[in-house]
Amino acid sequence: MIKKQELSAQEAVTEAKRYLNNAKEILREKGAKEDGFYQDSKYVKMAGHTAYSGVLFALDHYFGKKTKGRKDVDWYKSNLAQQDKKMLHTFVSVYEQPHLVMAYDGVGDAEVVKLGFQRAEIIIDWVELRSAA
């Protein structure tokens, strides 16, 4: 397996988008959407974790290695705050919706899911734009 640091910027973005597409596919195929809610919290959790992992994959490649210890949400927030305040707010939304509300709580409100995925895509696109420059 290729390590994320060995990938080109475009390959990392492609991989992050693949994560997000996988998250959408999980819910489309197994989420059992009914009346605006996904009924199976197991797959909501799985999709939320997968989408959030895709965002982190893109950001990890963009920001590089942390010098000491493990990365945590505050590390990502700090790096984003230095680069783009608007993207920081978008990241906080992704942290709260796909990561906490979906991946931990299993809340399958289709509108929350849709918004979380849209914001995840915004961050991945931001990384793609910044990496291309």
Side-chain angles (χ1 to χ4, degrees), residues 93-94 97-98 110-122:
S93 179
V94 169
Q97 291 167 350
E111 291 301 314
V112 170
V113 170
K114 181 179 176 183
L115 183 61
F117 286 171
Q118 286 173 343
R119 294 211 170 129
E121 195 167 347
I122 288 169

Side-chain angles (χ1 to χ4, degrees), residues 3 17 22 24 31 34 40 43 49 55 71 77 82-83 86 88 93 95-96 105-106 108 110 112-113 126 132:
K3 293 181 181 177
K17 287 180 180 183
N22 287 347
K24 292 174 183 178
E34 187 178 303
D40 196 328
Y43 294 109
H49 179 74
V55 168
K71 295 176 185 177
K77 287 179 184 179
Q82 293 171 20
Q83 299 250 339
K86 183 178 177 186
L88 167 63
S93 179
Y95 174 74
E96 290 170 351
D105 300 334
V112 170
V113 170
W126 178 84

Side-chain angles (χ1 to χ4, degrees), residues 34-96:
E34 187 178 303
D35 297 327
F37 290 87
Y38 292 98
Q39 303 300 310
D40 196 328
S41 66
K42 171 186 173 182
Y43 294 109
V44 170
K45 289 177 180 186
M46 192 182 298
H49 179 74
T50 303
Y52 185 65
S53 294
V55 168
L56 297 185
F57 191 91
L59 290 174
D60 284 347
H61 190 276
Y62 181 69
F63 291 131
K65 290 187 176 196
K66 183 178 178 192
T67 54
K68 290 166 68 175
R70 288 184 175 200
K71 295 176 185 177
D72 62 8
V73 70
D74 293 326
W75 184 84
Y76 293 101
K77 287 179 184 179
S78 173
N79 278 288
L80 283 165
Q82 293 171 20
Q83 299 250 339
D84 187 332
K85 296 280 189 197
K86 183 178 177 186
M87 207 47 53
L88 167 63
H89 297 300
T90 303
F91 175 77
V92 169
S93 179
V94 169
Y95 174 74
E96 290 170 351

